[in-house]
Amino acid sequence: MSEHTFATRVSRWYERNARDLPWRVPGVGAWAILVSEVMLQQTPVVRVLPAYEAWLARWPTPAALAADPPAEAIRMWGRLGYPRRAMRLHDCAVAIVERHGGEVPDRLEQLLALPGVGTYTARAVAAFAYGQRHPVVDTNVRRVVSRAVAGEPDAGPATRPADLVATEELLPAEPAEAALASAAFMELGAVVCTARSPRCAVCPVESICAWRASGQAAPAGPTRRPQRYAGTDRQVRGLLLAVLRESSGPVPRQRLDQVWTDDVQRSRALAGLVTDGLVEPAGGETFRLAGDGPAIPAPALDA
Ligand code: SF4
C-alpha cells in the first residue's frame, strides 16, 4: 500500500467529515490544544466539551492558571475523573511560565520536558498547534494502523517505538499535510474504525485495507470489559474530593467520615489523595485541597 494513498484518502475524508470540535478551530492556540489533549485522554468528548470551555474561559493562558493555587484547578476539574490530570495541567502551566515566558513551547524536546506531558501529548501539541510532522499515536491510531496496514484485528500491547515508526511511515513528507493526516487517523479510529463495530462500508481506505482484504478474522484477544467504578477506591476518592471541592476551607475528618462507611477503605482513599498531592492535611484533624490556603507550618520537633 502506498503511504501517500492511505494518508491522502484519510485526510480528504477528514476534511469532509471531521466533527466540529472547538479545539480544532484554526488558530485556537497551543494552550487550548494542550488542555483539550489532557482532558480527552481518559474522558469522552461529550463530557470534555463543557469542561474545556469553562476552563479556557477562566484560564485562557498558562499564566492565568499558574497564578491560581492548584486547589482551584482541582475544583474546576469537577467530575471529569482522574483528577491528577488537573494537578498535572497546573504544574505544566507553572513550568511554561517559568521556563518559556508563558508560551507553550514548540520544540518536541521542550514539550516532553514539561511535567506530565508524555509521548502522545507532546507530539499532539507539536502537530496540531504548530503543524509539525510527528506520529501522533493513541489507541485509535494504533488500531487503524494495525488493521489497515498489518491486517491484524487488534493492535495488541503498546510498543511505543514500533508504533511510532509504523505510523510515521504513513505520514506525508510535508509537515502541514502530515499534521492533518495525524488528526485524520485519530478521527477515523474514533468514529469509523472503532474497536467493536468498524464501519468498513463507509471507510475511505476500505479498498486498500489489509484486514478487510483478509476477510476480517475475529479479534484474537478478549474483549475488554468496562472498568467497574461502584465500590472501588476511585469512587471513594471521588466522594471525598466532592466534599473538599465544595468547601471553602479546611474540612474536619468527621465530615469526611460521613461519605463512606468502610473505615479501612475510606482511610486508604484519603491517604491516596494525600500521597497524590491532591489533598493536604490542614492541621488539627482537618484536610483541604492542595494549596487551598496559606502554607501549614511544619510541627516543631522535640529537642
Ligand atoms: S476498512 Fe474497516 S477495518 Fe479497515 S480501516 Fe476501514 S474501518 Fe478499519
mmCIF file of all heavy atoms in Angstrom, residues 61-96:
data_model
loop_
_atom_site.group_PDB
_atom_site.id
_atom_site.type_symbol
_atom_site.label_atom_id
_atom_site.label_comp_id
_atom_site.label_asym_id
_atom_site.label_seq_id
_atom_site.Cartn_x
_atom_site.Cartn_y
_atom_site.Cartn_z
ATOM 1 N N THR A 61 -4.813 31.479 29.429
ATOM 2 C CA THR A 61 -3.365 31.336 29.199
ATOM 3 C C THR A 61 -2.757 30.502 30.322
ATOM 4 O O THR A 61 -3.329 30.408 31.415
ATOM 5 C CB THR A 61 -2.663 32.715 29.219
ATOM 6 O OG1 THR A 61 -2.846 33.282 30.538
ATOM 7 C CG2 THR A 61 -3.236 33.660 28.172
ATOM 8 N N PRO A 62 -1.571 29.939 30.084
ATOM 9 C CA PRO A 62 -0.883 29.231 31.167
ATOM 10 C C PRO A 62 -0.630 30.150 32.360
ATOM 11 O O PRO A 62 -0.750 29.732 33.517
ATOM 12 C CB PRO A 62 0.434 28.781 30.524
ATOM 13 C CG PRO A 62 0.160 28.742 29.060
ATOM 14 C CD PRO A 62 -0.843 29.819 28.802
ATOM 15 N N ALA A 63 -0.313 31.420 32.103
ATOM 16 C CA ALA A 63 -0.022 32.350 33.207
ATOM 17 C C ALA A 63 -1.243 32.542 34.102
ATOM 18 O O ALA A 63 -1.109 32.647 35.329
ATOM 19 C CB ALA A 63 0.438 33.692 32.646
ATOM 20 N N ALA A 64 -2.414 32.564 33.511
ATOM 21 C CA ALA A 64 -3.632 32.750 34.313
ATOM 22 C C ALA A 64 -3.826 31.569 35.257
ATOM 23 O O ALA A 64 -4.159 31.743 36.430
ATOM 24 C CB ALA A 64 -4.840 32.911 33.394
ATOM 25 N N LEU A 65 -3.606 30.361 34.751
ATOM 26 C CA LEU A 65 -3.755 29.183 35.612
ATOM 27 C C LEU A 65 -2.653 29.137 36.666
ATOM 28 O O LEU A 65 -2.904 28.852 37.844
ATOM 29 C CB LEU A 65 -3.739 27.893 34.764
ATOM 30 C CG LEU A 65 -3.783 26.593 35.556
ATOM 31 C CD1 LEU A 65 -5.004 26.503 36.463
ATOM 32 C CD2 LEU A 65 -3.762 25.391 34.601
ATOM 33 N N ALA A 66 -1.428 29.441 36.250
ATOM 34 C CA ALA A 66 -0.296 29.373 37.182
ATOM 35 C C ALA A 66 -0.465 30.348 38.338
ATOM 36 O O ALA A 66 0.069 30.125 39.430
ATOM 37 C CB ALA A 66 1.013 29.656 36.435
ATOM 38 N N ALA A 67 -1.211 31.436 38.129
ATOM 39 C CA ALA A 67 -1.382 32.447 39.178
ATOM 40 C C ALA A 67 -2.370 31.999 40.244
ATOM 41 O O ALA A 67 -2.436 32.597 41.318
ATOM 42 C CB ALA A 67 -1.846 33.759 38.549
ATOM 43 N N ASP A 68 -3.152 30.979 39.967
ATOM 44 C CA ASP A 68 -4.103 30.463 40.955
ATOM 45 C C ASP A 68 -3.511 29.239 41.652
ATOM 46 O O ASP A 68 -2.658 28.554 41.087
ATOM 47 C CB ASP A 68 -5.416 30.070 40.263
ATOM 48 C CG ASP A 68 -6.359 31.266 40.140
ATOM 49 O OD1 ASP A 68 -6.147 32.259 40.846
ATOM 50 O OD2 ASP A 68 -7.291 31.197 39.325
ATOM 51 N N PRO A 69 -3.969 28.926 42.862
ATOM 52 C CA PRO A 69 -3.449 27.729 43.543
ATOM 53 C C PRO A 69 -3.962 26.459 42.866
ATOM 54 O O PRO A 69 -5.020 26.482 42.210
ATOM 55 C CB PRO A 69 -4.008 27.859 44.962
ATOM 56 C CG PRO A 69 -5.171 28.771 44.849
ATOM 57 C CD PRO A 69 -4.921 29.674 43.695
ATOM 58 N N PRO A 70 -3.232 25.355 43.036
ATOM 59 C CA PRO A 70 -3.676 24.089 42.426
ATOM 60 C C PRO A 70 -5.074 23.684 42.880
ATOM 61 O O PRO A 70 -5.802 23.020 42.131
ATOM 62 C CB PRO A 70 -2.620 23.075 42.877
ATOM 63 C CG PRO A 70 -1.734 23.765 43.842
ATOM 64 C CD PRO A 70 -1.934 25.231 43.718
ATOM 65 N N ALA A 71 -5.470 24.098 44.090
ATOM 66 C CA ALA A 71 -6.811 23.738 44.570
ATOM 67 C C ALA A 71 -7.891 24.211 43.600
ATOM 68 O O ALA A 71 -8.910 23.535 43.408
ATOM 69 C CB ALA A 71 -7.054 24.351 45.946
ATOM 70 N N GLU A 72 -7.674 25.365 42.984
ATOM 71 C CA GLU A 72 -8.688 25.875 42.050
ATOM 72 C C GLU A 72 -8.774 25.000 40.804
ATOM 73 O O GLU A 72 -9.855 24.808 40.231
ATOM 74 C CB GLU A 72 -8.374 27.325 41.679
ATOM 75 C CG GLU A 72 -8.651 28.295 42.803
ATOM 76 C CD GLU A 72 -10.089 28.171 43.321
ATOM 77 O OE1 GLU A 72 -11.025 28.323 42.528
ATOM 78 O OE2 GLU A 72 -10.267 27.880 44.515
ATOM 79 N N ALA A 73 -7.639 24.480 40.367
ATOM 80 C CA ALA A 73 -7.652 23.568 39.211
ATOM 81 C C ALA A 73 -8.420 22.291 39.554
ATOM 82 O O ALA A 73 -9.208 21.787 38.745
ATOM 83 C CB ALA A 73 -6.226 23.245 38.788
ATOM 84 N N ILE A 74 -8.198 21.784 40.765
ATOM 85 C CA ILE A 74 -8.904 20.556 41.181
ATOM 86 C C ILE A 74 -10.403 20.832 41.285
ATOM 87 O O ILE A 74 -11.232 20.013 40.869
ATOM 88 C CB ILE A 74 -8.339 20.046 42.525
ATOM 89 C CG1 ILE A 74 -6.853 19.742 42.394
ATOM 90 C CG2 ILE A 74 -9.093 18.801 42.985
ATOM 91 C CD1 ILE A 74 -6.152 19.530 43.731
ATOM 92 N N ARG A 75 -10.767 22.003 41.811
ATOM 93 C CA ARG A 75 -12.199 22.361 41.897
ATOM 94 C C ARG A 75 -12.813 22.424 40.507
ATOM 95 O O ARG A 75 -13.882 21.898 40.245
ATOM 96 C CB ARG A 75 -12.348 23.747 42.525
ATOM 97 C CG ARG A 75 -12.414 23.724 43.987
ATOM 98 C CD ARG A 75 -13.114 24.910 44.607
ATOM 99 N NE ARG A 75 -13.034 24.711 46.034
ATOM 100 C CZ ARG A 75 -12.016 25.115 46.785
ATOM 101 N NH1 ARG A 75 -11.030 25.807 46.277
ATOM 102 N NH2 ARG A 75 -11.992 24.831 48.071
ATOM 103 N N MET A 76 -12.106 23.090 39.619
ATOM 104 C CA MET A 76 -12.646 23.311 38.268
ATOM 105 C C MET A 76 -12.751 21.991 37.500
ATOM 106 O O MET A 76 -13.586 21.847 36.615
ATOM 107 C CB MET A 76 -11.693 24.270 37.538
ATOM 108 C CG MET A 76 -12.272 24.944 36.347
ATOM 109 S SD MET A 76 -13.513 26.156 36.846
ATOM 110 C CE MET A 76 -13.876 26.824 35.241
ATOM 111 N N TRP A 77 -11.900 21.048 37.858
ATOM 112 C CA TRP A 77 -11.917 19.756 37.156
ATOM 113 C C TRP A 77 -13.254 19.055 37.358
ATOM 114 O O TRP A 77 -13.712 18.285 36.506
ATOM 115 C CB TRP A 77 -10.765 18.884 37.671
ATOM 116 C CG TRP A 77 -10.402 17.765 36.769
ATOM 117 C CD1 TRP A 77 -10.694 16.446 36.936
ATOM 118 C CD2 TRP A 77 -9.666 17.849 35.543
ATOM 119 N NE1 TRP A 77 -10.183 15.704 35.906
ATOM 120 C CE2 TRP A 77 -9.549 16.544 35.031
ATOM 121 C CE3 TRP A 77 -9.084 18.912 34.826
ATOM 122 C CZ2 TRP A 77 -8.880 16.262 33.834
ATOM 123 C CZ3 TRP A 77 -8.428 18.631 33.650
ATOM 124 C CH2 TRP A 77 -8.343 17.323 33.166
ATOM 125 N N GLY A 78 -13.877 19.348 38.506
ATOM 126 C CA GLY A 78 -15.211 18.803 38.759
ATOM 127 C C GLY A 78 -15.226 17.290 38.681
ATOM 128 O O GLY A 78 -14.401 16.615 39.276
ATOM 129 N N ARG A 79 -16.144 16.761 37.899
ATOM 130 C CA ARG A 79 -16.331 15.313 37.832
ATOM 131 C C ARG A 79 -15.810 14.722 36.526
ATOM 132 O O ARG A 79 -16.363 13.736 36.014
ATOM 133 C CB ARG A 79 -17.807 14.987 38.020
ATOM 134 C CG ARG A 79 -18.320 15.378 39.397
ATOM 135 C CD ARG A 79 -19.739 14.959 39.640
ATOM 136 N NE ARG A 79 -20.142 15.290 40.998
ATOM 137 C CZ ARG A 79 -19.898 14.539 42.067
ATOM 138 N NH1 ARG A 79 -19.245 13.406 41.926
ATOM 139 N NH2 ARG A 79 -20.298 14.913 43.275
ATOM 140 N N LEU A 80 -14.760 15.298 35.980
ATOM 141 C CA LEU A 80 -14.186 14.744 34.743
ATOM 142 C C LEU A 80 -13.489 13.405 34.987
ATOM 143 O O LEU A 80 -13.250 12.656 34.048
ATOM 144 C CB LEU A 80 -13.163 15.710 34.145
ATOM 145 C CG LEU A 80 -13.672 16.820 33.247
ATOM 146 C CD1 LEU A 80 -12.497 17.576 32.647
ATOM 147 C CD2 LEU A 80 -14.563 16.283 32.134
ATOM 148 N N GLY A 81 -13.145 13.141 36.247
ATOM 149 C CA GLY A 81 -12.472 11.877 36.552
ATOM 150 C C GLY A 81 -10.954 12.001 36.448
ATOM 151 O O GLY A 81 -10.430 12.910 35.816
ATOM 152 N N TYR A 82 -10.268 11.068 37.109
ATOM 153 C CA TYR A 82 -8.806 11.062 37.128
ATOM 154 C C TYR A 82 -8.260 12.473 37.390
ATOM 155 O O TYR A 82 -7.588 13.077 36.534
ATOM 156 C CB TYR A 82 -8.253 10.474 35.825
ATOM 157 C CG TYR A 82 -8.676 9.048 35.613
ATOM 158 C CD1 TYR A 82 -9.737 8.735 34.764
ATOM 159 C CD2 TYR A 82 -8.047 8.008 36.288
ATOM 160 C CE1 TYR A 82 -10.156 7.423 34.597
ATOM 161 C CE2 TYR A 82 -8.447 6.688 36.122
ATOM 162 C CZ TYR A 82 -9.507 6.409 35.271
ATOM 163 O OH TYR A 82 -9.917 5.123 35.095
ATOM 164 N N PRO A 83 -8.547 13.029 38.603
ATOM 165 C CA PRO A 83 -8.246 14.446 38.851
ATOM 166 C C PRO A 83 -6.768 14.780 38.951
ATOM 167 O O PRO A 83 -6.421 15.963 38.983
ATOM 168 C CB PRO A 83 -8.959 14.715 40.187
ATOM 169 C CG PRO A 83 -9.061 13.378 40.847
ATOM 170 C CD PRO A 83 -9.221 12.388 39.743
ATOM 171 N N ARG A 84 -5.911 13.764 38.970
ATOM 172 C CA ARG A 84 -4.487 14.108 38.948
ATOM 173 C C ARG A 84 -4.134 14.881 37.674
ATOM 174 O O ARG A 84 -3.153 15.605 37.611
ATOM 175 C CB ARG A 84 -3.626 12.843 39.033
ATOM 176 C CG ARG A 84 -3.277 12.479 40.470
ATOM 177 C CD ARG A 84 -2.411 11.272 40.551
ATOM 178 N NE ARG A 84 -3.141 10.071 40.198
ATOM 179 C CZ ARG A 84 -2.615 8.845 40.172
ATOM 180 N NH1 ARG A 84 -1.354 8.677 40.463
ATOM 181 N NH2 ARG A 84 -3.357 7.805 39.861
ATOM 182 N N ARG A 85 -4.987 14.728 36.667
ATOM 183 C CA ARG A 85 -4.742 15.492 35.434
ATOM 184 C C ARG A 85 -4.853 16.996 35.686
ATOM 185 O O ARG A 85 -4.166 17.787 35.037
ATOM 186 C CB ARG A 85 -5.732 15.064 34.344
ATOM 187 C CG ARG A 85 -5.474 13.648 33.848
ATOM 188 C CD ARG A 85 -6.466 13.259 32.780
ATOM 189 N NE ARG A 85 -7.818 13.107 33.306
ATOM 190 C CZ ARG A 85 -8.910 13.026 32.542
ATOM 191 N NH1 ARG A 85 -8.810 13.105 31.235
ATOM 192 N NH2 ARG A 85 -10.093 12.868 33.090
ATOM 193 N N ALA A 86 -5.718 17.402 36.615
ATOM 194 C CA ALA A 86 -5.834 18.831 36.941
ATOM 195 C C ALA A 86 -4.528 19.339 37.545
ATOM 196 O O ALA A 86 -4.050 20.426 37.215
ATOM 197 C CB ALA A 86 -6.984 19.052 37.909
ATOM 198 N N MET A 87 -3.955 18.530 38.432
ATOM 199 C CA MET A 87 -2.677 18.902 39.034
ATOM 200 C C MET A 87 -1.587 18.982 37.969
ATOM 201 O O MET A 87 -0.750 19.873 37.977
ATOM 202 C CB MET A 87 -2.260 17.866 40.085
ATOM 203 C CG MET A 87 -3.126 17.828 41.318
ATOM 204 S SD MET A 87 -2.839 19.245 42.365
ATOM 205 C CE MET A 87 -1.203 18.902 42.977
ATOM 206 N N ARG A 88 -1.623 18.009 37.064
ATOM 207 C CA ARG A 88 -0.597 17.988 36.012
ATOM 208 C C ARG A 88 -0.699 19.240 35.144
ATOM 209 O O ARG A 88 0.306 19.829 34.763
ATOM 210 C CB ARG A 88 -0.747 16.734 35.159
ATOM 211 C CG ARG A 88 -0.366 15.476 35.896
ATOM 212 C CD ARG A 88 0.086 14.358 34.968
ATOM 213 N NE ARG A 88 -0.480 14.366 33.644
ATOM 214 C CZ ARG A 88 -1.343 13.460 33.180
ATOM 215 N NH1 ARG A 88 -1.743 12.490 33.964
ATOM 216 N NH2 ARG A 88 -1.769 13.505 31.951
ATOM 217 N N LEU A 89 -1.925 19.623 34.814
ATOM 218 C CA LEU A 89 -2.091 20.830 33.995
ATOM 219 C C LEU A 89 -1.597 22.059 34.748
ATOM 220 O O LEU A 89 -0.991 22.955 34.153
ATOM 221 C CB LEU A 89 -3.568 21.008 33.621
ATOM 222 C CG LEU A 89 -3.991 20.493 32.246
ATOM 223 C CD1 LEU A 89 -5.475 20.729 32.034
ATOM 224 C CD2 LEU A 89 -3.185 21.150 31.124
ATOM 225 N N HIS A 90 -1.871 22.088 36.049
ATOM 226 C CA HIS A 90 -1.402 23.230 36.833
ATOM 227 C C HIS A 90 0.130 23.251 36.880
ATOM 228 O O HIS A 90 0.758 24.290 36.644
ATOM 229 C CB HIS A 90 -1.986 23.178 38.257
ATOM 230 C CG HIS A 90 -1.707 24.411 39.048
ATOM 231 N ND1 HIS A 90 -0.540 24.580 39.761
ATOM 232 C CD2 HIS A 90 -2.415 25.561 39.202
ATOM 233 C CE1 HIS A 90 -0.551 25.775 40.327
ATOM 234 N NE2 HIS A 90 -1.673 26.389 40.010
ATOM 235 N N ASP A 91 0.727 22.104 37.174
ATOM 236 C CA ASP A 91 2.205 22.020 37.189
ATOM 237 C C ASP A 91 2.779 22.448 35.840
ATOM 238 O O ASP A 91 3.804 23.120 35.749
ATOM 239 C CB ASP A 91 2.660 20.585 37.490
ATOM 240 C CG ASP A 91 2.356 20.172 38.929
ATOM 241 O OD1 ASP A 91 2.035 21.046 39.744
ATOM 242 O OD2 ASP A 91 2.424 18.963 39.211
ATOM 243 N N CYS A 92 2.105 22.019 34.795
ATOM 244 C CA CYS A 92 2.532 22.326 33.433
ATOM 245 C C CYS A 92 2.478 23.835 33.192
ATOM 246 O O CYS A 92 3.405 24.427 32.620
ATOM 247 C CB CYS A 92 1.576 21.619 32.497
ATOM 248 S SG CYS A 92 2.288 21.131 30.990
ATOM 249 N N ALA A 93 1.387 24.464 33.636
ATOM 250 C CA ALA A 93 1.232 25.915 33.441
ATOM 251 C C ALA A 93 2.350 26.665 34.166
ATOM 252 O O ALA A 93 2.940 27.612 33.619
ATOM 253 C CB ALA A 93 -0.135 26.356 33.958
ATOM 254 N N VAL A 94 2.668 26.222 35.390
ATOM 255 C CA VAL A 94 3.742 26.872 36.152
ATOM 256 C C VAL A 94 5.072 26.727 35.401
ATOM 257 O O VAL A 94 5.833 27.689 35.240
ATOM 258 C CB VAL A 94 3.834 26.268 37.574
ATOM 259 C CG1 VAL A 94 5.077 26.763 38.300
ATOM 260 C CG2 VAL A 94 2.568 26.601 38.377
ATOM 261 N N ALA A 95 5.340 25.521 34.899
ATOM 262 C CA ALA A 95 6.600 25.281 34.180
ATOM 263 C C ALA A 95 6.660 26.105 32.894
ATOM 264 O O ALA A 95 7.723 26.629 32.525
ATOM 265 C CB ALA A 95 6.742 23.794 33.866
ATOM 266 N N ILE A 96 5.544 26.242 32.213
ATOM 267 C CA ILE A 96 5.524 27.029 30.965
ATOM 268 C C ILE A 96 5.836 28.498 31.266
ATOM 269 O O ILE A 96 6.563 29.160 30.527
ATOM 270 C CB ILE A 96 4.155 26.863 30.255
ATOM 271 C CG1 ILE A 96 4.018 25.452 29.686
ATOM 272 C CG2 ILE A 96 3.987 27.902 29.154
ATOM 273 C CD1 ILE A 96 2.616 25.105 29.227
#
